[in-house]
Amino acid sequence: MPNNDLQGGTVAFLCAPEGTEQVELTEPWRAVEQAGATPRLVSTQSGRLQAFNHLDKGDTFPVDITVDATDHSEFDGLVLPGGVANPDFLRTDAGAVAFVRSFFDAGKPVAVICHGPWTLIEADVVRGRTMTSWPSLRTDLRNAGATWVDEEVKICEDGPNVLVSSRKPDDLKAFCQAAVEAFKR
């Protein structure tokens, strides 16, 4: 049965035009919809984005709006899916990095999974935060001032906003539950 805890809310999903891990987009998207909110796909380019199932092409998804045509004020929260290529591309795009930083500046909740924290590192918003990620980002996060933990989901409130993080697709159930809970606040 749907849970309408987020009724009337809008959540941004920021993804590069190519390289997003499909399940890390679709499962949180479904959780946000089931909670009664409207998910919107934000990217650096209009058109469709190409998702991936690890290294194999997955489905394509229509972009709702580009980072240069919106800002945090239109959203109640932000989800950053992973995939190796997705956050690597986003962290090189000044508009995407500024979009991410604006959620932290505004105190709005952010949920990030897998390799997604690379974009947070570039936005310089992980210093003093405790979080998890795909294990290969452990050193990157520590070097950026975060405390890295190996947990299914980590909810950090030691900062300007609630930051939810998870390691991998196997953690999606816990990640989706924690993200929806954070977006309710």
Short mmCIF file of all heavy atoms in Angstrom, two decimals, residues 66-131:
data_model
loop_
_atom_site.label_atom_id
_atom_site.label_comp_id
_atom_site.label_asym_id
_atom_site.label_seq_id
_atom_site.Cartn_x
_atom_site.Cartn_y
_atom_site.Cartn_z
N THR A 66 17.05 20.88 -16.80
CA THR A 66 18.51 20.93 -16.70
C THR A 66 18.92 21.77 -15.49
O THR A 66 18.16 22.62 -15.03
CB THR A 66 19.15 21.50 -17.98
OG1 THR A 66 18.63 22.82 -18.19
CG2 THR A 66 18.85 20.62 -19.19
N VAL A 67 20.14 21.52 -15.01
CA VAL A 67 20.62 22.25 -13.82
C VAL A 67 20.66 23.75 -14.04
O VAL A 67 20.47 24.51 -13.09
CB VAL A 67 22.00 21.76 -13.34
CG1 VAL A 67 21.94 20.36 -12.80
CG2 VAL A 67 23.05 21.87 -14.42
N ASP A 68 20.87 24.18 -15.27
CA ASP A 68 20.94 25.62 -15.53
C ASP A 68 19.56 26.27 -15.62
O ASP A 68 19.45 27.49 -15.69
CB ASP A 68 21.76 25.93 -16.78
CG ASP A 68 21.19 25.31 -18.04
OD1 ASP A 68 20.26 24.48 -17.96
OD2 ASP A 68 21.69 25.66 -19.13
N ALA A 69 18.49 25.47 -15.58
CA ALA A 69 17.13 26.00 -15.68
C ALA A 69 16.34 25.83 -14.37
O ALA A 69 15.14 26.05 -14.35
CB ALA A 69 16.39 25.32 -16.82
N THR A 70 17.02 25.44 -13.29
CA THR A 70 16.33 25.21 -12.03
C THR A 70 17.27 25.52 -10.87
O THR A 70 18.44 25.84 -11.07
CB THR A 70 15.82 23.75 -11.93
OG1 THR A 70 14.95 23.65 -10.80
CG2 THR A 70 16.95 22.75 -11.82
N ASP A 71 16.74 25.44 -9.65
CA ASP A 71 17.57 25.55 -8.46
C ASP A 71 16.89 24.80 -7.32
O ASP A 71 15.78 24.30 -7.46
CB ASP A 71 17.88 27.00 -8.10
CG ASP A 71 16.66 27.81 -7.71
OD1 ASP A 71 15.78 27.29 -6.99
OD2 ASP A 71 16.57 28.97 -8.13
N HIS A 72 17.56 24.75 -6.19
CA HIS A 72 17.09 23.97 -5.04
C HIS A 72 15.71 24.39 -4.55
O HIS A 72 14.99 23.60 -3.95
CB HIS A 72 18.08 24.05 -3.88
CG HIS A 72 18.13 25.41 -3.26
ND1 HIS A 72 17.23 25.81 -2.30
CD2 HIS A 72 18.93 26.46 -3.49
CE1 HIS A 72 17.48 27.05 -1.96
NE2 HIS A 72 18.53 27.47 -2.66
N SER A 73 15.31 25.63 -4.80
CA SER A 73 14.04 26.12 -4.26
C SER A 73 12.83 25.38 -4.82
O SER A 73 11.76 25.42 -4.23
CB SER A 73 13.90 27.63 -4.52
OG SER A 73 13.76 27.88 -5.90
N GLU A 74 13.00 24.68 -5.93
CA GLU A 74 11.90 23.93 -6.54
C GLU A 74 11.76 22.53 -5.94
O GLU A 74 10.84 21.80 -6.32
CB GLU A 74 12.12 23.81 -8.04
CG GLU A 74 12.09 25.14 -8.77
CD GLU A 74 12.22 24.98 -10.27
OE1 GLU A 74 11.66 24.01 -10.82
OE2 GLU A 74 12.89 25.82 -10.88
N PHE A 75 12.67 22.16 -5.01
CA PHE A 75 12.71 20.78 -4.53
C PHE A 75 12.78 20.71 -3.01
O PHE A 75 13.31 21.60 -2.35
CB PHE A 75 13.93 20.07 -5.12
CG PHE A 75 13.97 20.11 -6.63
CD1 PHE A 75 14.77 21.01 -7.29
CD2 PHE A 75 13.17 19.24 -7.37
CE1 PHE A 75 14.79 21.07 -8.68
CE2 PHE A 75 13.18 19.28 -8.75
CZ PHE A 75 13.99 20.19 -9.42
N ASP A 76 12.29 19.59 -2.50
CA ASP A 76 12.33 19.32 -1.06
C ASP A 76 13.54 18.49 -0.68
O ASP A 76 13.85 18.36 0.50
CB ASP A 76 11.05 18.61 -0.63
CG ASP A 76 9.83 19.45 -0.92
OD1 ASP A 76 9.72 20.55 -0.33
OD2 ASP A 76 8.99 19.04 -1.74
N GLY A 77 14.21 17.89 -1.65
CA GLY A 77 15.37 17.07 -1.39
C GLY A 77 16.05 16.68 -2.69
O GLY A 77 15.54 16.97 -3.78
N LEU A 78 17.20 16.02 -2.55
CA LEU A 78 18.03 15.64 -3.69
C LEU A 78 18.51 14.21 -3.53
O LEU A 78 18.96 13.83 -2.44
CB LEU A 78 19.24 16.58 -3.79
CG LEU A 78 20.34 16.23 -4.80
CD1 LEU A 78 19.82 16.32 -6.23
CD2 LEU A 78 21.54 17.15 -4.60
N VAL A 79 18.43 13.44 -4.62
CA VAL A 79 19.00 12.10 -4.67
C VAL A 79 20.12 12.10 -5.70
O VAL A 79 19.94 12.60 -6.82
CB VAL A 79 17.96 11.03 -5.05
CG1 VAL A 79 18.61 9.66 -5.22
CG2 VAL A 79 16.85 10.97 -4.01
N LEU A 80 21.27 11.54 -5.31
CA LEU A 80 22.41 11.39 -6.22
C LEU A 80 22.70 9.90 -6.40
O LEU A 80 23.34 9.28 -5.55
CB LEU A 80 23.65 12.08 -5.65
CG LEU A 80 23.60 13.59 -5.60
CD1 LEU A 80 24.69 14.14 -4.70
CD2 LEU A 80 23.72 14.17 -7.00
N PRO A 81 22.18 9.31 -7.49
CA PRO A 81 22.50 7.91 -7.77
C PRO A 81 23.98 7.76 -8.12
O PRO A 81 24.66 8.74 -8.44
CB PRO A 81 21.63 7.58 -8.98
CG PRO A 81 20.58 8.64 -9.03
CD PRO A 81 21.24 9.86 -8.46
N GLY A 82 24.43 6.53 -8.09
CA GLY A 82 25.81 6.27 -8.42
C GLY A 82 26.00 5.81 -9.85
O GLY A 82 25.35 6.28 -10.76
N GLY A 83 26.89 4.82 -9.99
CA GLY A 83 27.43 4.45 -11.28
C GLY A 83 28.78 5.14 -11.33
O GLY A 83 28.90 6.29 -10.87
N VAL A 84 29.79 4.50 -11.84
CA VAL A 84 31.12 5.11 -11.83
C VAL A 84 31.18 6.36 -12.70
O VAL A 84 31.69 7.40 -12.29
CB VAL A 84 32.20 4.09 -12.28
CG1 VAL A 84 33.57 4.75 -12.33
CG2 VAL A 84 32.22 2.90 -11.34
N ALA A 85 30.64 6.31 -13.91
CA ALA A 85 30.76 7.42 -14.86
C ALA A 85 29.88 8.61 -14.47
O ALA A 85 30.26 9.76 -14.71
CB ALA A 85 30.43 6.95 -16.27
N ASN A 86 28.71 8.35 -13.90
CA ASN A 86 27.76 9.41 -13.59
C ASN A 86 28.35 10.50 -12.69
O ASN A 86 28.43 11.67 -13.08
CB ASN A 86 26.50 8.77 -12.98
CG ASN A 86 25.50 9.77 -12.48
OD1 ASN A 86 25.16 10.74 -13.15
ND2 ASN A 86 25.01 9.54 -11.28
N PRO A 87 28.79 10.18 -11.46
CA PRO A 87 29.32 11.24 -10.60
C PRO A 87 30.66 11.78 -11.09
O PRO A 87 31.00 12.94 -10.82
CB PRO A 87 29.46 10.58 -9.24
CG PRO A 87 29.50 9.13 -9.52
CD PRO A 87 28.71 8.90 -10.77
N ASP A 88 31.41 10.96 -11.83
CA ASP A 88 32.67 11.46 -12.38
C ASP A 88 32.40 12.57 -13.39
O ASP A 88 33.09 13.58 -13.41
CB ASP A 88 33.47 10.32 -13.02
CG ASP A 88 34.90 10.73 -13.31
OD1 ASP A 88 35.56 11.25 -12.39
OD2 ASP A 88 35.35 10.53 -14.45
N PHE A 89 31.37 12.42 -14.20
CA PHE A 89 30.98 13.47 -15.14
C PHE A 89 30.42 14.68 -14.38
O PHE A 89 30.81 15.82 -14.66
CB PHE A 89 29.93 12.95 -16.13
CG PHE A 89 29.43 14.01 -17.06
CD1 PHE A 89 30.11 14.28 -18.25
CD2 PHE A 89 28.32 14.78 -16.75
CE1 PHE A 89 29.66 15.29 -19.10
CE2 PHE A 89 27.87 15.78 -17.59
CZ PHE A 89 28.55 16.04 -18.78
N LEU A 90 29.52 14.44 -13.42
CA LEU A 90 28.88 15.55 -12.71
C LEU A 90 29.89 16.42 -11.98
O LEU A 90 29.75 17.64 -11.93
CB LEU A 90 27.83 15.02 -11.72
CG LEU A 90 26.58 14.41 -12.33
CD1 LEU A 90 25.70 13.82 -11.24
CD2 LEU A 90 25.82 15.43 -13.16
N ARG A 91 30.93 15.81 -11.41
CA ARG A 91 31.89 16.60 -10.63
C ARG A 91 32.75 17.51 -11.50
O ARG A 91 33.43 18.38 -10.99
CB ARG A 91 32.75 15.72 -9.74
CG ARG A 91 33.72 14.81 -10.46
CD ARG A 91 34.45 13.95 -9.45
NE ARG A 91 35.31 12.98 -10.12
CZ ARG A 91 36.24 12.28 -9.52
NH1 ARG A 91 36.46 12.46 -8.23
NH2 ARG A 91 36.96 11.42 -10.17
N THR A 92 32.69 17.32 -12.81
CA THR A 92 33.44 18.20 -13.72
C THR A 92 32.54 19.29 -14.31
O THR A 92 33.02 20.11 -15.10
CB THR A 92 34.07 17.40 -14.87
OG1 THR A 92 33.05 16.84 -15.69
CG2 THR A 92 34.99 16.32 -14.35
N ASP A 93 31.28 19.31 -13.94
CA ASP A 93 30.33 20.29 -14.45
C ASP A 93 30.02 21.31 -13.35
O ASP A 93 29.41 20.97 -12.34
CB ASP A 93 29.05 19.59 -14.92
CG ASP A 93 28.08 20.55 -15.56
OD1 ASP A 93 27.37 21.27 -14.82
OD2 ASP A 93 28.02 20.58 -16.81
N ALA A 94 30.44 22.54 -13.56
CA ALA A 94 30.28 23.58 -12.53
C ALA A 94 28.82 23.79 -12.14
O ALA A 94 28.51 24.00 -10.96
CB ALA A 94 30.89 24.90 -13.01
N GLY A 95 27.92 23.72 -13.09
CA GLY A 95 26.49 23.89 -12.79
C GLY A 95 25.96 22.78 -11.91
O GLY A 95 25.19 23.03 -10.98
N ALA A 96 26.36 21.55 -12.18
CA ALA A 96 25.91 20.41 -11.37
C ALA A 96 26.47 20.52 -9.95
O ALA A 96 25.75 20.28 -8.97
CB ALA A 96 26.34 19.10 -12.02
N VAL A 97 27.73 20.90 -9.84
CA VAL A 97 28.37 21.03 -8.53
C VAL A 97 27.68 22.14 -7.73
O VAL A 97 27.38 21.97 -6.54
CB VAL A 97 29.88 21.29 -8.67
CG1 VAL A 97 30.51 21.63 -7.33
CG2 VAL A 97 30.57 20.07 -9.31
N ALA A 98 27.38 23.26 -8.36
CA ALA A 98 26.70 24.36 -7.68
C ALA A 98 25.29 23.95 -7.26
O ALA A 98 24.82 24.31 -6.17
CB ALA A 98 26.65 25.59 -8.59
N PHE A 99 24.60 23.20 -8.11
CA PHE A 99 23.26 22.71 -7.80
C PHE A 99 23.31 21.85 -6.54
O PHE A 99 22.51 22.03 -5.61
CB PHE A 99 22.72 21.91 -8.99
CG PHE A 99 21.32 21.41 -8.83
CD1 PHE A 99 20.23 22.27 -8.89
CD2 PHE A 99 21.07 20.05 -8.66
CE1 PHE A 99 18.93 21.79 -8.75
CE2 PHE A 99 19.78 19.56 -8.54
CZ PHE A 99 18.71 20.43 -8.58
N VAL A 100 24.25 20.94 -6.46
CA VAL A 100 24.40 20.08 -5.29
C VAL A 100 24.71 20.91 -4.05
O VAL A 100 24.08 20.76 -3.01
CB VAL A 100 25.50 19.02 -5.53
CG1 VAL A 100 25.88 18.32 -4.24
CG2 VAL A 100 25.06 18.01 -6.58
N ARG A 101 25.68 21.80 -4.14
CA ARG A 101 26.07 22.63 -3.00
C ARG A 101 24.88 23.44 -2.48
O ARG A 101 24.73 23.64 -1.27
CB ARG A 101 27.22 23.56 -3.38
CG ARG A 101 27.80 24.29 -2.17
CD ARG A 101 28.95 25.23 -2.53
NE ARG A 101 30.01 24.54 -3.24
CZ ARG A 101 30.35 24.78 -4.52
NH1 ARG A 101 29.70 25.70 -5.23
NH2 ARG A 101 31.33 24.13 -5.10
N SER A 102 24.00 23.88 -3.38
CA SER A 102 22.88 24.72 -2.96
C SER A 102 21.92 24.00 -2.02
O SER A 102 21.30 24.62 -1.16
CB SER A 102 22.12 25.26 -4.19
OG SER A 102 21.38 24.24 -4.84
N PHE A 103 21.79 22.68 -2.14
CA PHE A 103 20.94 21.93 -1.22
C PHE A 103 21.53 21.94 0.20
O PHE A 103 20.79 22.05 1.18
CB PHE A 103 20.75 20.49 -1.70
CG PHE A 103 19.73 20.36 -2.80
CD1 PHE A 103 20.08 20.64 -4.11
CD2 PHE A 103 18.43 20.00 -2.51
CE1 PHE A 103 19.14 20.54 -5.13
CE2 PHE A 103 17.48 19.91 -3.52
CZ PHE A 103 17.83 20.17 -4.83
N PHE A 104 22.84 21.85 0.30
CA PHE A 104 23.50 21.91 1.60
C PHE A 104 23.38 23.32 2.18
O PHE A 104 23.07 23.48 3.36
CB PHE A 104 24.97 21.49 1.47
CG PHE A 104 25.13 20.01 1.26
CD1 PHE A 104 24.93 19.44 0.02
CD2 PHE A 104 25.47 19.17 2.32
CE1 PHE A 104 25.07 18.08 -0.18
CE2 PHE A 104 25.59 17.81 2.14
CZ PHE A 104 25.39 17.25 0.89
N ASP A 105 23.61 24.33 1.34
CA ASP A 105 23.50 25.72 1.80
C ASP A 105 22.09 26.04 2.30
O ASP A 105 21.93 26.83 3.23
CB ASP A 105 23.87 26.69 0.67
CG ASP A 105 25.34 26.64 0.30
OD1 ASP A 105 26.16 26.09 1.09
OD2 ASP A 105 25.69 27.15 -0.80
N ALA A 106 21.09 25.42 1.68
CA ALA A 106 19.69 25.66 2.05
C ALA A 106 19.21 24.74 3.17
O ALA A 106 18.07 24.86 3.63
CB ALA A 106 18.79 25.50 0.83
N GLY A 107 20.07 23.80 3.61
CA GLY A 107 19.69 22.89 4.68
C GLY A 107 18.70 21.81 4.26
O GLY A 107 17.99 21.26 5.10
N LYS A 108 18.68 21.49 2.98
CA LYS A 108 17.74 20.48 2.48
C LYS A 108 18.38 19.10 2.45
O LYS A 108 19.58 18.96 2.20
CB LYS A 108 17.27 20.87 1.08
CG LYS A 108 16.42 22.12 1.09
CD LYS A 108 15.80 22.41 -0.25
CE LYS A 108 14.88 23.62 -0.15
NZ LYS A 108 14.19 23.85 -1.41
N PRO A 109 17.60 18.05 2.69
CA PRO A 109 18.14 16.70 2.75
C PRO A 109 18.69 16.22 1.41
O PRO A 109 18.13 16.53 0.35
CB PRO A 109 16.96 15.85 3.20
CG PRO A 109 15.75 16.64 2.89
CD PRO A 109 16.16 18.08 2.92
N VAL A 110 19.77 15.44 1.50
CA VAL A 110 20.42 14.87 0.33
C VAL A 110 20.66 13.38 0.60
O VAL A 110 21.09 13.02 1.70
CB VAL A 110 21.76 15.58 0.02
CG1 VAL A 110 22.52 14.87 -1.09
CG2 VAL A 110 21.51 17.04 -0.33
N ALA A 111 20.37 12.55 -0.39
CA ALA A 111 20.61 11.11 -0.29
C ALA A 111 21.55 10.72 -1.43
O ALA A 111 21.30 11.07 -2.59
CB ALA A 111 19.30 10.34 -0.38
N VAL A 112 22.61 9.99 -1.10
CA VAL A 112 23.65 9.65 -2.08
C VAL A 112 24.04 8.19 -1.91
O VAL A 112 24.13 7.69 -0.79
CB VAL A 112 24.86 10.60 -1.94
CG1 VAL A 112 25.49 10.50 -0.57
CG2 VAL A 112 25.88 10.40 -3.04
N ILE A 113 24.30 7.52 -3.03
CA ILE A 113 24.64 6.11 -2.96
C ILE A 113 25.81 5.78 -3.88
O ILE A 113 26.01 6.44 -4.90
CB ILE A 113 23.40 5.22 -3.30
CG1 ILE A 113 23.69 3.73 -3.04
CG2 ILE A 113 22.89 5.49 -4.71
CD1 ILE A 113 22.45 2.84 -3.05
N CYS A 114 26.58 4.79 -3.47
CA CYS A 114 27.64 4.18 -4.28
C CYS A 114 28.76 5.17 -4.59
O CYS A 114 29.44 5.64 -3.69
CB CYS A 114 27.02 3.57 -5.53
SG CYS A 114 27.99 2.28 -6.31
N HIS A 115 28.99 5.49 -5.86
CA HIS A 115 30.03 6.43 -6.28
C HIS A 115 29.54 7.89 -6.25
O HIS A 115 30.32 8.80 -6.51
CB HIS A 115 30.53 6.10 -7.69
CG HIS A 115 31.35 4.85 -7.77
ND1 HIS A 115 30.78 3.60 -7.79
CD2 HIS A 115 32.68 4.67 -7.82
CE1 HIS A 115 31.74 2.69 -7.87
NE2 HIS A 115 32.90 3.30 -7.88
N GLY A 116 28.27 8.10 -5.95
CA GLY A 116 27.69 9.44 -5.92
C GLY A 116 28.44 10.47 -5.09
O GLY A 116 28.47 11.65 -5.44
N PRO A 117 29.09 10.09 -3.98
CA PRO A 117 29.80 11.08 -3.18
C PRO A 117 30.91 11.83 -3.90
O PRO A 117 31.35 12.88 -3.42
CB PRO A 117 30.35 10.26 -2.01
CG PRO A 117 29.36 9.17 -1.83
CD PRO A 117 28.99 8.80 -3.25
N TRP A 118 31.39 11.34 -5.03
CA TRP A 118 32.40 12.11 -5.77
C TRP A 118 31.89 13.52 -6.06
O TRP A 118 32.65 14.49 -5.97
CB TRP A 118 32.76 11.42 -7.07
CG TRP A 118 33.89 10.44 -6.97
CD1 TRP A 118 34.88 10.41 -6.03
CD2 TRP A 118 34.16 9.36 -7.87
NE1 TRP A 118 35.75 9.37 -6.29
CE2 TRP A 118 35.32 8.72 -7.40
CE3 TRP A 118 33.52 8.89 -9.01
CZ2 TRP A 118 35.86 7.62 -8.06
CZ3 TRP A 118 34.06 7.79 -9.65
CH2 TRP A 118 35.23 7.17 -9.18
N THR A 119 30.63 13.65 -6.40
CA THR A 119 30.07 14.98 -6.67
C THR A 119 30.03 15.81 -5.40
O THR A 119 30.30 17.02 -5.42
CB THR A 119 28.68 14.86 -7.31
OG1 THR A 119 28.74 13.93 -8.41
CG2 THR A 119 28.21 16.20 -7.84
N LEU A 120 29.73 15.17 -4.26
CA LEU A 120 29.72 15.88 -2.99
C LEU A 120 31.12 16.37 -2.61
O LEU A 120 31.28 17.46 -2.07
CB LEU A 120 29.18 14.99 -1.88
CG LEU A 120 27.76 14.47 -2.01
CD1 LEU A 120 27.39 13.64 -0.79
CD2 LEU A 120 26.78 15.60 -2.22
N ILE A 121 32.12 15.54 -2.89
CA ILE A 121 33.50 15.93 -2.60
C ILE A 121 33.85 17.18 -3.40
O ILE A 121 34.42 18.13 -2.86
CB ILE A 121 34.47 14.78 -2.91
CG1 ILE A 121 34.28 13.64 -1.90
CG2 ILE A 121 35.92 15.26 -2.92
CD1 ILE A 121 34.96 12.34 -2.29
N GLU A 122 33.50 17.18 -4.67
CA GLU A 122 33.79 18.34 -5.53
C GLU A 122 33.06 19.59 -5.04
O GLU A 122 33.59 20.70 -5.13
CB GLU A 122 33.42 18.04 -6.99
CG GLU A 122 33.91 19.06 -7.97
CD GLU A 122 35.43 19.15 -8.04
OE1 GLU A 122 36.12 18.12 -7.85
OE2 GLU A 122 35.94 20.26 -8.30
N ALA A 123 31.87 19.41 -4.49
CA ALA A 123 31.09 20.54 -3.96
C ALA A 123 31.59 20.99 -2.59
O ALA A 123 31.09 21.97 -2.05
CB ALA A 123 29.61 20.16 -3.89
N ASP A 124 32.57 20.28 -2.03
CA ASP A 124 33.17 20.59 -0.74
C ASP A 124 32.13 20.64 0.38
O ASP A 124 32.08 21.57 1.18
CB ASP A 124 33.94 21.92 -0.81
CG ASP A 124 34.85 22.12 0.39
OD1 ASP A 124 35.25 21.11 1.02
OD2 ASP A 124 35.16 23.29 0.71
N VAL A 125 31.30 19.58 0.44
CA VAL A 125 30.24 19.54 1.44
C VAL A 125 30.33 18.31 2.36
O VAL A 125 29.40 18.07 3.14
CB VAL A 125 28.83 19.59 0.78
CG1 VAL A 125 28.61 20.94 0.10
CG2 VAL A 125 28.64 18.44 -0.20
N VAL A 126 31.43 17.56 2.30
CA VAL A 126 31.53 16.36 3.14
C VAL A 126 32.39 16.56 4.39
O VAL A 126 32.38 15.72 5.28
CB VAL A 126 32.04 15.13 2.35
CG1 VAL A 126 31.10 14.82 1.19
CG2 VAL A 126 33.46 15.31 1.87
N ARG A 127 33.11 17.67 4.47
CA ARG A 127 33.98 17.93 5.62
C ARG A 127 33.16 17.88 6.91
O ARG A 127 32.13 18.54 7.04
CB ARG A 127 34.63 19.29 5.45
CG ARG A 127 35.75 19.60 6.40
CD ARG A 127 36.49 20.88 6.02
NE ARG A 127 36.72 21.05 4.58
CZ ARG A 127 37.66 20.42 3.88
NH1 ARG A 127 38.46 19.56 4.47
NH2 ARG A 127 37.80 20.64 2.58
N GLY A 128 33.61 17.06 7.87
CA GLY A 128 32.93 16.94 9.15
C GLY A 128 31.72 16.01 9.14
O GLY A 128 31.07 15.85 10.18
N ARG A 129 31.42 15.42 8.02
CA ARG A 129 30.26 14.52 7.92
C ARG A 129 30.71 13.07 8.07
O ARG A 129 31.84 12.72 7.74
CB ARG A 129 29.56 14.68 6.56
CG ARG A 129 29.13 16.10 6.20
CD ARG A 129 28.25 16.81 7.23
NE ARG A 129 26.93 16.26 7.43
CZ ARG A 129 25.83 16.69 6.83
NH1 ARG A 129 25.88 17.69 5.97
NH2 ARG A 129 24.68 16.12 7.09
N THR A 130 29.82 12.23 8.55
CA THR A 130 30.07 10.79 8.62
C THR A 130 29.18 10.14 7.57
O THR A 130 27.97 10.40 7.54
CB THR A 130 29.74 10.23 10.02
OG1 THR A 130 30.56 10.91 10.98
CG2 THR A 130 29.99 8.73 10.09
N MET A 131 29.80 9.32 6.72
CA MET A 131 29.05 8.74 5.62
C MET A 131 29.67 7.46 5.13
O MET A 131 30.79 7.11 5.50
CB MET A 131 28.91 9.75 4.48
CG MET A 131 30.21 10.28 3.94
SD MET A 131 30.01 11.68 2.80
CE MET A 131 28.90 11.01 1.59
#
